[in-house]
Amino acid sequence: MANDREVLRLVWEGKIPICFQADPAELVGLQPPEPFYLMVQRLSYLPLVTDKVRKHFVRFISNEQQEGDIWFDCNGTPLKWHYPIGVLFDLTMGDEEPNLPWNVTIHFGNLPGEFVFKCPTKEVVEAHFMSCLKEADHLKHRGQVVCAMQKKDHTQLWLGLVNDKFDQFWAVNRRLMESHGDQDAFKYIPVRCYNEDGSYVQKLIQPTSKTNVKLTLKDLLEYFSTPARRAVAARMHGITVDLDTPLQWLSEHLSYPDNFLHICLLYDDDNTTIAPDNDSSIC
């Protein structure tokens, strides 16, 4: 059960200052628009702030493009709307210190379909969020918690996220963070590990070894490493997490609202091997 309320609230209150700018190639008129600044919730999604940004820039865009497909990029890299904003930011920062505000460009056309889907309606984002939530619960509890919820519980989770209401969200989400039966841990840890190019890998990860030893972030990094590249650190919510942190604790306290751990992997270019703990079988 997630019981460290202070950590949960700190994660929830994480914000990123964003400076939105328009693509100069799409502007019309002699006077360019001022940048549009927003303090955005790390746990949210770009389409949930699209309306505000669009309204600011749309009058500077040609009539033909005003109803075009909106998408965003950072330094020429398209941003995937279905990734949480905090994950997108951590991926663009890599292992460097963050340079704030985060500069993001809005586009009204020429969608690079091979890299990113167009920003959808809020209903589509909600459907994506709920799909991820159900997948996470299936991994943790065989789907039993979400199936036992009513429609109003699903709505309360979604509106809590959209409206930035911590208590409203956690009044329901705490059920998803409880272990069931005689177990003191989840069956599997919902986790997605991201590479520098924005792709992610997802595997079945158990929180304990076969002899019931708690597994840690260090064990997970070893499992996601390859003979060619060794993962040596992990960034979540803008911080580099201690490698001795148990996976069960991470899942209970540092998961995003979709109940997944979204981990940006940092690699050692010198290919240094991580020494695994004894009895660290992770699946």
Side-chain angles (χ1 to χ4, degrees), residues 167-185:
D167 292 328
Q168 177 181 344
F169 178 85
W170 271 99
V172 177
N173 194 62
R174 61 180 178 79
R175 297 182 228 165
L176 292 158
M177 292 299 173
E178 295 173 342
S179 301
H180 285 184
D182 58 354
Q183 302 296 317
D184 58 359

Side-chain angles (χ1 to χ4, degrees), residues 59-78:
R59 65 183 184 275
F60 298 94
I61 305 298
S62 67
N63 293 333
E64 293 77 14
Q65 286 190 301
Q66 286 184 5
E67 300 303 323
D69 295 330
I70 290 179
W71 57 282
F72 299 89
D73 83 64
C74 174
N75 295 327
T77 300

Side-chain angles (χ1 to χ4, degrees), residues 128-148:
H128 166 73
F129 169 76
M130 289 307 305
S131 176
C132 292
L133 194 72
K134 291 175 181 178
E135 181 182 353
D137 185 50
H138 183 78
L139 291 169
K140 292 195 290 187
H141 309 113
R142 298 185 176 90
Q144 297 172 357
V145 178
V146 169
C147 286

Side-chain angles (χ1 to χ4, degrees), residues 11 32-33 44 68 88 110 113 156 166 211 242-243 257 262 270 276:
V11 170
S44 188
L88 292 171
N110 300 316
Q156 183 169 334
F166 174 83
T211 55
D242 190 295
L243 296 183
H262 294 271
D270 295 330

Side-chain angles (χ1 to χ4, degrees), residues 46-113:
L46 279 174
L48 301 184
V49 303
T50 297
D51 288 346
K52 295 178 182 178
V53 182
R54 180 186 179 280
K55 288 177 182 177
H56 178 78
F57 290 108
V58 69
R59 65 183 184 275
F60 298 94
I61 305 298
S62 67
N63 293 333
E64 293 77 14
Q65 286 190 301
Q66 286 184 5
E67 300 303 323
D69 295 330
I70 290 179
W71 57 282
F72 299 89
D73 83 64
C74 174
N75 295 327
T77 300
L79 300 177
K80 299 178 179 180
W81 69 261
H82 55 291
Y83 287 8
I85 292 173
V87 175
L88 292 171
F89 179 72
D90 290 345
L91 283 171
T92 58
M93 291 300 104
D95 59 355
E96 300 177 358
E97 287 297 317
N99 185 20
L100 299 174
W102 186 28
N103 291 308
V104 173
T105 301
I106 182 173
H107 300 268
F108 286 79
N110 300 316
L111 180 74

Side-chain angles (χ1 to χ4, degrees), residues 28-282:
V28 296
L30 299 177
Q31 186 66 32
E34 293 291 326
F36 186 70
Y37 292 88
L38 273 181
M39 188 69 77
V40 177
Q41 188 183 16
R42 267 185 161 270
L43 305 180
S44 188
Y45 298 88
L46 279 174
L48 301 184
V49 303
T50 297
D51 288 346
K52 295 178 182 178
V53 182
R54 180 186 179 280
K55 288 177 182 177
H56 178 78
F57 290 108
V58 69
R59 65 183 184 275
F60 298 94
I61 305 298
S62 67
N63 293 333
E64 293 77 14
Q65 286 190 301
Q66 286 184 5
E67 300 303 323
D69 295 330
I70 290 179
W71 57 282
F72 299 89
D73 83 64
C74 174
N75 295 327
T77 300
L79 300 177
K80 299 178 179 180
W81 69 261
H82 55 291
Y83 287 8
I85 292 173
V87 175
L88 292 171
F89 179 72
D90 290 345
L91 283 171
T92 58
M93 291 300 104
D95 59 355
E96 300 177 358
E97 287 297 317
N99 185 20
L100 299 174
W102 186 28
N103 291 308
V104 173
T105 301
I106 182 173
H107 300 268
F108 286 79
N110 300 316
L111 180 74
E114 68 274 25
F115 298 111
V116 65
F117 302 114
K118 68 179 180 180
C119 284
T121 63
K122 290 183 180 180
E123 289 74 20
V124 174
V125 183
E126 180 181 3
H128 166 73
F129 169 76
M130 289 307 305
S131 176
C132 292
L133 194 72
K134 291 175 181 178
E135 181 182 353
D137 185 50
H138 183 78
L139 291 169
K140 292 195 290 187
H141 309 113
R142 298 185 176 90
Q144 297 172 357
V145 178
V146 169
C147 286
M149 288 181 177
Q150 299 179 12
K151 174 61 177 177
K152 65 180 180 64
D153 297 319
H154 298 174
T155 300
Q156 183 169 334
L157 284 169
W158 173 246
L159 293 181
L161 172 61
V162 172
N163 298 322
D164 195 8
K165 300 294 184 181
F166 174 83
D167 292 328
Q168 177 181 344
F169 178 85
W170 271 99
V172 177
N173 194 62
R174 61 180 178 79
R175 297 182 228 165
L176 292 158
M177 292 299 173
E178 295 173 342
S179 301
H180 285 184
D182 58 354
Q183 302 296 317
D184 58 359
F186 302 141
K187 181 174 177 58
Y188 296 106
I189 301 294
V191 58
R192 291 172 178 170
C193 288
Y194 294 79
N195 298 306
E196 304 100 315
D197 62 359
S199 63
Y200 69 79
V201 180
Q202 187 173 330
K203 299 180 181 181
L204 287 178
I205 304 295
Q206 292 183 330
T208 59
S209 70
K210 295 178 180 178
T211 55
N212 208 33
V213 175
K214 290 183 178 180
L215 298 178
T216 67
L217 181 59
K218 182 179 180 182
D219 299 313
L220 182 141
L221 293 187
E222 178 67 18
Y223 190 56
F224 276 90
S225 295
T226 67
R229 301 193 75 196
R230 313 303 296 175
V232 295
R235 178 166 290 175
M236 286 174 270
H237 303 287
I239 61 173
T240 302
V241 181
D242 190 295
L243 296 183
D244 292 326
T245 309
L247 295 179
Q248 179 70 25
W249 189 94
L250 286 175
S251 187
E252 292 177 353
H253 296 85
L254 297 189
S255 290
Y256 275 75
D258 63 6
N259 275 238
F260 271 87
L261 284 172
H262 294 271
I263 302 176
C264 297
L265 298 177
L266 303 177
Y267 293 92
D268 183 0
D269 292 334
D270 295 330
N271 201 27
T272 301
T273 301
I274 306 172
D277 294 335
N278 292 332
D279 189 31
S280 61
S281 175
I282 205 163

